[in-house]
Amino acid sequence: MRSAHPQNGGETPYQIPTHPNFQSTVSLRKLRRFNYLILIFRIAAFSSSLASFVFMLTTSRDSDPSSPRWYHFDAFRLVVGANAIVAIYSLFEMVASVWEISRGSTLFSEVLQVWFDFSHDQVFAYLLLSADSAGTALARVLKGMDTCTAWSAFCIETDISIALGFVGFLFLGFSSVLSGFRVACFVIKGSRFHL
């Protein structure tokens, strides 16, 4: 351990000069990997939510007017709305992640971007979880009735849509953990970078 006091006849130990904008190449590689990981989770959340949205919308393509439609059930309308909102949000966050990777800076100011990402990840993850939970409860009720025996394609498509919504929730949850890590780094070090 080096002491802060001069040693060896007044000579000071060699110190690496530091500059406010200096980062090692190892730190930059770790930061780039971290940003790419966030981008991958954002793409996965977008894809899952968009697929869930599309699957639920396609349940109404049956030509029989007496067949059930997704908009006949409040819980399925909530699933459609929540997945649409999360898909749009994830698309925005994908653009923000690509911006950050390509430009090296955030879309908004750093403090606003860190808190924006974390708070919206949390809110939309819980929105998606509650919508898919409501959809799951309704799907189980429909399976207990004769709805799924008469229109099995409707029930299968709603099940797929709900499952994809839960997958979107998982990826949004992983994004939330990483954005929470950035918030913690910002609070502790004053920067979203942990290095």
Side-chain angles (χ1 to χ4, degrees):
M1 181 170 172
R2 294 186 179 167
S3 112
H5 301 291
Q7 300 173 359
N8 301 335
E11 295 178 16
T12 58
Y14 179 75
Q15 295 178 347
I16 297 174
T18 58
H19 188 271
N21 296 328
F22 175 77
Q23 286 186 338
S24 71
T25 56
V26 173
S27 298
L28 290 175
R29 272 186 274 159
K30 286 182 181 179
L31 181 63
R32 186 170 286 270
R33 264 187 292 185
F34 187 79
N35 287 338
Y36 276 119
L37 185 62
I38 290 175
L39 179 62
I40 288 168
F41 286 143
R42 302 274 186 214
I43 291 170
F46 169 75
S47 302
S48 301
S49 296
L50 183 64
S52 176
F53 174 75
V54 169
F55 262 98
M56 191 61 81
L57 288 181
T58 60
T59 61
S60 61
R61 65 185 156 97
D62 191 8
S63 61
D64 184 9
S66 65
S67 69
R69 310 269 194 233
W70 64 270
Y71 48 81
H72 293 155
F73 305 98
D74 289 337
F76 291 158
R77 284 192 294 226
L78 182 61
V79 169
V80 168
N83 280 297
I85 290 169
V86 169
I88 291 168
Y89 167 71
S90 295
L91 181 64
F92 171 77
E93 284 295 332
M94 284 176 8
V95 169
S97 292
V98 168
W99 178 280
E100 185 174 348
I101 289 169
S102 65
R103 304 263 172 120
S105 65
T106 57
L107 202 56
F108 304 128
S109 67
E110 187 173 8
V111 65
L112 182 64
Q113 186 75 46
V114 167
W115 286 104
F116 179 88
D117 291 348
F118 179 68
S119 61
H120 284 83
D121 283 349
Q122 290 284 312
V123 167
F124 292 136
Y126 288 122
L127 172 70
L128 202 53
L129 179 64
S130 65
D132 289 327
S133 297
T136 301
L138 178 61
R140 290 186 69 182
V141 167
L142 291 177
K143 281 186 183 17
M145 300 166 52
D146 62 345
T147 305
C148 286
T149 56
W151 295 284
S152 63
F154 174 78
C155 292
I156 290 170
E157 288 175 353
T158 57
D159 288 345
I160 291 171
S161 175
I162 292 166
L164 286 169
F166 278 118
V167 171
F169 162 73
L170 287 176
F171 285 119
L172 197 57
F174 292 144
S175 298
S176 179
V177 168
L178 295 178
S179 60
F181 179 72
R182 283 179 142 181
V183 167
C185 290
F186 186 80
V187 168
I188 293 170
K189 295 187 175 191
S191 173
R192 70 188 186 282
F193 304 125
H194 61 285
L195 308 169

